[in-house]
Amino acid sequence: MMIDLLLEGTLDTLIMVFFSSLFALFFGLPLGVFLFITQKDSILPMPLVNKILGLIVNITRSFPFIILIVLLLPLSRLLIGTSIGVNAAIISLSVATIPFIARLFEGALSEIDKGLIEASISLGANKFNIIIMIITETLPSLIHAFIIAIINIIGYSAMAGALGAGGLGDIAIRVGYQSNQPDVLFYTVIIIIIMVQIIQTLGDYIVKKLKSHL
């Protein structure tokens, strides 16, 4: 039945988005922090390292996702023994999102008032404590960036459906488009739109609450 098909696709998409977002956050936040603190005028200046790492991040981000996921198929086979399905898609989605989210986090961290950093240094705070202070002060911006990344992952997951990732993207292409069932295509799009709206609304609410307490 179509309802069962859509429920299965929605569940697969939610699994892909959840775990990809989690891995992207786990690796992207430290990378974004490192990119920020190694800037020329930051607390741990390493301009050359920052430039090389920034170049790698930019090159990775330059790949169109549909091409990047093809290039990452051997990595998925190496890590989990298959290049298709939800688990394989999680690896590709995570790798594709880490540099993107790192840049977003770097931008969010750059919003910190430099006076706060100078005051922390003058009070004798060590670099680790200063980093924690920066993350705390820019938390609403970091969460806002994370919400953008999650919505981006939803779009990526739909594209990954074209390469056998499963989820709503797969149903939309394989059943809705290739099998000429426009109603299925329509419902998958509606579900994705609803998913994005819920995440954006929830994210905006959390950011608003955090800002009111800072």
Side-chain angles (χ1 to χ4, degrees), residues 189-208:
V189 172
I190 293 297
I191 293 171
I192 291 173
I193 290 173
I194 292 172
M195 207 179 283
V196 169
Q197 289 301 315
I198 291 173
I199 292 171
Q200 186 66 63
T201 303
L202 185 61
D204 289 344
Y205 175 78
I206 294 171
V207 170
K208 188 178 177 182

Side-chain angles (χ1 to χ4, degrees), residues 67-93 95 163-164:
I67 295 174
L68 185 61
I69 196 172
V70 172
L71 295 175
L72 291 171
L73 292 179
L75 177 65
S76 299
R77 273 195 294 271
L78 177 68
L79 293 177
I80 61 172
T82 180
S83 58
I84 60 173
V86 172
N87 292 337
I90 289 172
I91 294 173
S92 300
L93 289 168
V95 173
L163 295 170

Side-chain angles (χ1 to χ4, degrees), residues 13-208:
T13 295
L14 288 174
I15 291 172
M16 280 191 284
V17 171
F18 176 78
F19 284 102
S20 301
S21 302
L22 200 62
F23 290 133
L25 177 66
F26 185 77
F27 292 103
L29 181 58
L31 181 56
V33 170
F34 189 75
L35 283 168
F36 172 70
I37 64 174
T38 55
Q39 290 174 1
K40 188 170 59 179
D41 57 348
S42 194
I43 60 173
L44 193 65
M46 289 190 276
L48 181 60
V49 174
N50 184 277
K51 191 169 288 187
I52 293 172
L53 190 59
L55 181 63
I56 294 171
V57 167
N58 289 343
I59 290 173
T60 310
R61 288 183 57 203
S62 300
F63 281 90
F65 177 70
I66 201 72
I67 295 174
L68 185 61
I69 196 172
V70 172
L71 295 175
L72 291 171
L73 292 179
L75 177 65
S76 299
R77 273 195 294 271
L78 177 68
L79 293 177
I80 61 172
T82 180
S83 58
I84 60 173
V86 172
N87 292 337
I90 289 172
I91 294 173
S92 300
L93 289 168
S94 301
V95 173
T97 308
I98 287 169
F100 173 69
I101 201 170
R103 278 298 191 200
L104 289 178
F105 283 156
E106 181 191 13
L109 294 167
S110 298
E111 294 178 7
I112 186 74
D113 183 351
K114 302 295 182 188
L116 287 175
I117 298 178
E118 291 169 3
S120 300
I121 293 173
S122 67
L123 291 171
N126 60 38
K127 288 185 171 55
F128 179 76
N129 288 334
I130 294 174
I131 290 171
I132 297 298
M133 182 274 293
I134 293 171
I135 291 175
T136 304
E137 290 294 326
T138 58
L139 196 55
S141 298
L142 290 171
I143 291 176
H144 181 68
F146 186 48
I147 296 301
I148 292 173
I150 293 175
I151 291 172
N152 209 50
I153 290 173
I154 293 174
Y156 281 171
S157 73
M159 278 190 276
L163 295 170
L168 291 169
D170 174 57
I171 293 172
I173 294 167
R174 183 171 49 82
V175 182
Y177 177 68
Q178 294 176 345
S179 299
N180 195 27
Q181 295 189 46
D183 53 339
V184 174
L185 184 59
F186 174 76
Y187 287 129
T188 54
V189 172
I190 293 297
I191 293 171
I192 291 173
I193 290 173
I194 292 172
M195 207 179 283
V196 169
Q197 289 301 315
I198 291 173
I199 292 171
Q200 186 66 63
T201 303
L202 185 61
D204 289 344
Y205 175 78
I206 294 171
V207 170
K208 188 178 177 182

